[in-house]
Amino acid sequence: MNIIVCIKQVPDPEIPPVKFQIDPEGKKVIPPDGVTPVISVFDERAVEAALKLKDKYKAKVTALTLGPDSAKAVIRHALAMGVDAGVHIQYEAAGELDSFGTAHVLMKAIEKIGDYSLVLCGRQAADWDAGQVGLLIAENLGIPVVTVAKKVDLQDDKLRVESVIQDGYHVMEVSMPALVTVSSEIGLSRLPTGIGIVKAARVKIENLSVEDIGADIPEARCTELIKLYVPVRDIQCQIIEADTVQESAEELAVRLREAKII
Amino acid sequence: MGNSVLVFAEVKDGRVKKVALEMLSEGKKMAEKLGGDLSAVLMGSGIESLAEQLGQYGADKVYVADNEVLKDYTCDAYAKVMADLIKANEPAIVLYGATILGKDLSPRVAARVETGLASDCTDIGLDDDGKFTATRPMFAGKAYVDLSFTDSKPNMASVRPNALPVSPPDESKKAEVVKVDVNISPDDIRTTVKEVMKTAGEKPDLTEAEVIVSGGRGMKGPENFKLIEDLADVLGATVGASRAAVDAGWRTVDDQVGQTGKVVSPNLYIACGISGAIQHLAGMSTSKYIVAVNKDSEAPIFQKADYGIVDDLLKVVPVLTEEIKKLKAEG
């Protein structure tokens, strides 16, 4: 079976807020100096889900990314984890696309790669946190989709996916081709090995432009960004100090009651 | 295109979710400004009686899609009903709760009716020109964006539970009930629910809880979570955990609050022994009130908290539980 995993390069979500800066005029995030961008955490879990299938069954896994030149680093990362091939749709202005534009380009890329049984995406990207692209790709391709997967397996010729719901999970059966979005419940991702890194360096990443795959970057976007800003929480924490634990806990309870919070 | 507002009213275990009432309250204001009416959609099996409550919370009209095929949620069936309804009635604005179900459904509907969607919003409203705008956090809550929509209609948004206030119901108000013909063939549904596994208890789900008590590394071990559970019981709260506590194996991943776990916005969040790593703050910083108990006065959680105690949580929490119990008993 052929599996395509869509991955995205994002600014490291772990950077402290002091290093996080935006350009309010340009409505853009300023990439922090000296902090290497990373593969979005849920996408890394999607790679892991693909590799788990590859470990168990025969599968060829292709990592696909859309982004500027730097984005090929996430393909290298996926290759070092163990995927077989990489496709990079190079588009410097990828950051300006909304979910619909991104999904359109990725759909075209998936069609270009062709012959797939399963497309995996992360539950959401760790920068915009919108969680739309996977579902939109599936709808564009006209294939079924299951979101927020904690386990992906095969049973006979169908997919068996455990999908997280509010108070537990659904066991879903889906025929292929299908798209599944993967959540962190799938388990930790494997680390690239030394041999993996050496092997990955030898793989030639297929580099394509949006024209190569016949994608029309949609002119009219569905949503427009009016303002980008850093939230200010102008609350000073009331630290409750007292001589004994008993007194401070009592005081806290009273203050919460007075403020009608409890 | 019309000027009405349509709210998807999610039903869980025979009850309308609170987030639907929150959206109706805000939706009512928007519909009045736009000069249109406010409608709600109910989907499921045996759910028609719930329309009454939606009327009391402001819906002028309730579309009821009551059919056995809608009993268990499937994205394909729900998206079809929703998309057909939108195409037939052309509302100006459509709102969904940003629950697991709402987040699964709304992008699919957006693709089918070819319109934009702002997901996981913490605020929505109309600007002075009557244009729909939505506010949503991004970059793990480090930044916020205000979005507007282009000419594609309707404008759609999913709204985080507990983000909007609920207006009091008007018990004399009745909504017009409109039955929706459900035309779904088995071929329309390409995913089959084979089993439904319940792993959560009776407590409200973290993403919708009004009060959450969470424990982190400072809990020192799984046995001490009993203290957190006792405090949660007194408050009617749901128990959460930081990634550190989950990684240590003290709690299951279902309880994890944070960017890679659940994003929550309760009225009150009590963080016990949680330092406040970025990825944790990303999951809870939109809580209305935050209380932190931590030994380390330098812990970043205190920068987000409204109230704090710098001390050993293992000593503080049991006393706090007793004190709150007393206050609650006094009424």
Side-chain angles (χ1 to χ4, degrees), chain B residues 4-7 23-24 27-28 31 36-40 57-61:
Chain B
S4 63
V5 177
L6 181 66
V7 170
M23 292 186 295
L24 284 174
K28 185 81 197 155
D37 63 6
L38 174 66
S39 323
Y57 279 90
D60 300 300
K61 203 183 274 177

Side-chain angles (χ1 to χ4, degrees), chain A residues 100 127 139 147 166 184 221, chain B residues 17 104 108 115 139 150 260:
Chain A
F100 283 78
D127 50 0
E139 193 68 22
T147 57
Q166 188 187 328
S184 23
R221 302 213 244 144
Chain B
K17 285 207 162 182
D104 190 68
R108 264 228 128 148
T115 193
F139 288 99
T150 50
T260 52

Side-chain angles (χ1 to χ4, degrees), chain B residues 206-251:
Chain B
L206 277 170
T207 56
E208 287 162 40
E210 289 191 43
V211 185
I212 293 171
V213 187
S214 274
R217 201 189 300 274
M219 297 304 297
K220 301 227 173 76
E223 65 284 357
N224 292 326
F225 268 86
K226 177 82 177 65
L227 302 176
I228 298 276
E229 281 161 8
D230 290 345
L231 177 56
D233 280 343
V234 175
L235 290 164
T238 304
V239 174
S242 73
R243 186 167 75 185
V246 172
D247 286 350
W250 303 341
R251 301 297 285 188

Side-chain angles (χ1 to χ4, degrees), chain A residues 154-170:
Chain A
L154 298 180
Q155 195 159 41
D156 305 322
D157 58 344
K158 288 189 169 166
L159 278 174
R160 190 180 177 283
V161 184
E162 292 179 6
S163 152
V164 177
I165 55 168
Q166 188 187 328
D167 49 4
Y169 61 93
H170 275 160

Side-chain angles (χ1 to χ4, degrees), chain B residues 111-177:
Chain B
R112 288 189 188 189
V113 299
E114 296 182 3
T115 193
L117 169 74
S119 47
D120 214 11
C121 301
T122 50
D123 200 9
I124 50 168
L126 297 174
D127 69 8
D128 296 339
D129 303 326
K131 222 169 143 43
F132 182 61
T133 60
T135 300
R136 59 181 306 272
M138 55 182 288
F139 288 99
K142 285 200 273 290
Y144 276 68
V145 282
D146 290 348
L147 296 168
S148 69
F149 293 76
T150 50
D151 291 333
S152 63
K153 284 281 159 76
N155 297 162
M156 307 214 297
S158 63
V159 185
R160 235 180 233 192
N162 297 329
L164 303 172
V166 180
S167 307
D170 174 357
E171 282 174 19
S172 65
K173 207 174 161 298
K174 276 197 165 55
E176 178 196 346
V177 174

